[in-house]
Amino acid sequence: GIIGVEGKQAARASDYAIGQFQFLKRLLFIHGRESYRKNSFIVCYNFYKNFLFVIPQFILGFDSLFGGQTIYDPWIYQLYNIVFAAFPIIWFGVYDKQVSGDKLISNPKYYTQGIVGKLFGSRRFWKWIFYGTVQALVLYVFSFRVGLDPYNIRGDVQDLKLSGTICYSFVVVIVNVKVFQTTSTHSVISILLVTLSVLLYYAFVAVMSLFPSFYNYGNFMEMITSLPYFLKL
């Protein structure tokens, strides 16, 4: 709604209101354009990151004859979307700016991508899904088919729990790096959020690996002391 000489009836009935017609230009051509760009990415990205997370579990079902075995620690399974892959994308959605407002208004080419459906559409959406699925297949091969070492310090082969921990770490790193690559306006906070999101995962695994009651018991040191792990990462 717009507050004008006609009164405030439209403003009272609206969800958002502006005080003058001249504000409409910036609302549409700057905030509107950036909102469309960021929301288009966020929608596709959220599907992508969850495909990347669950497809390895789905593939394991075929390998295990659908026995119901999980590959991720149940204690941190739910932390993926609320801790390890949450804060960088929130920062992107609120604060990222591709170019300055004056440059957007003065150059019509920045609006072409919305008109031609380059940022969002069924084709764009399914490209993200395909991208996430292919990446998940590669992660599964590197995590479950290509071990860290033939045998660990105890003489055991790489087990399912360690493979799941490795796969989870790959997923967390990839989805956070993806946001970092897409962000146009970097700051100390944006870099810190990406770094902390990744480090928090390793911190959780490090603590849990100290207690035999957890799924990740003993996995942390075995993972980070292996050179092949870092080569694959």
Side-chain angles (χ1 to χ4, degrees):
I2 301 175
I3 302 173
V5 295
E6 298 84 1
K8 299 181 179 180
Q9 290 86 348
R12 293 194 187 102
S14 64
D15 295 317
Y16 302 94
I18 58 176
Q20 300 177 27
F21 272 97
Q22 64 177 339
F23 298 156
L24 198 59
K25 185 177 182 179
R26 289 186 62 84
L27 182 64
L28 292 176
F29 291 101
I30 298 178
H31 302 292
R33 189 266 185 189
E34 284 295 271
S35 178
Y36 173 71
R37 177 183 68 88
K38 291 187 287 188
N39 277 293
S40 298
F41 176 81
I42 290 171
V43 170
C44 294
Y45 171 80
N46 282 329
F47 278 96
Y48 157 78
K49 72 173 182 176
N50 284 289
F51 260 73
L52 192 63
F53 186 58
V54 302
I55 288 295
Q57 175 71 69
F58 180 72
I59 299 174
L60 181 70
F62 291 94
D63 280 349
S64 63
L65 300 179
F66 296 96
Q69 176 66 50
T70 181
I71 62 175
Y72 302 128
D73 187 291
W75 285 92
I76 59 173
Y77 192 89
Q78 301 299 329
L79 297 181
Y80 176 69
N81 279 310
I82 61 176
V83 176
F84 308 134
F87 303 112
I89 191 63
I90 293 174
W91 174 269
F92 170 85
V94 176
Y95 294 106
D96 188 56
K97 292 181 181 179
Q98 191 174 43
V99 293
S100 66
D102 293 336
K103 192 171 183 179
L104 281 176
I105 292 178
S106 62
N107 199 332
K109 74 174 185 179
Y110 289 108
Y111 304 94
T112 305
Q113 55 187 1
I115 297 173
V116 299
K118 183 179 179 181
L119 297 180
F120 195 74
S122 58
R123 184 176 180 179
R124 179 76 172 177
F125 173 80
W126 287 111
K127 284 178 68 175
W128 273 91
I129 298 302
F130 176 77
Y131 180 50
T133 303
V134 171
Q135 274 195 325
L137 290 171
V138 174
L139 288 183
Y140 183 83
V141 171
F142 273 88
S143 302
F144 293 88
R145 297 299 189 186
V146 182
L148 297 183
D149 295 298
Y151 299 95
N152 60 22
I153 57 176
R154 299 188 301 271
D156 304 322
V157 296
Q158 180 178 315
D159 59 14
L160 178 64
K161 296 179 180 180
L162 178 57
S163 299
T165 304
I166 294 168
C167 185
Y168 202 139
S169 69
F170 288 160
V171 172
V172 170
V173 171
I174 288 173
V175 297
N176 282 286
V177 169
K178 183 63 179 177
V179 177
F180 183 82
Q181 290 176 333
T182 307
T183 301
S184 302
T185 309
H186 283 293
S187 66
V188 174
I189 297 178
S190 66
I191 297 173
L192 187 63
L193 287 176
V194 170
T195 305
L196 286 178
S197 296
V198 175
L199 292 180
L200 276 173
Y201 171 73
Y202 286 101
F204 269 85
V205 174
V207 173
M208 297 172 69
S209 66
L210 300 176
F211 302 95
S213 58
F214 287 114
Y215 187 94
N216 281 323
Y217 175 64
N219 286 342
F220 180 73
M221 291 304 298
E222 191 169 344
M223 180 173 63
I224 67 167
T225 56
S226 173
L227 179 59
Y229 168 72
F230 289 99
L231 294 176
K232 290 190 290 184
L233 186 61

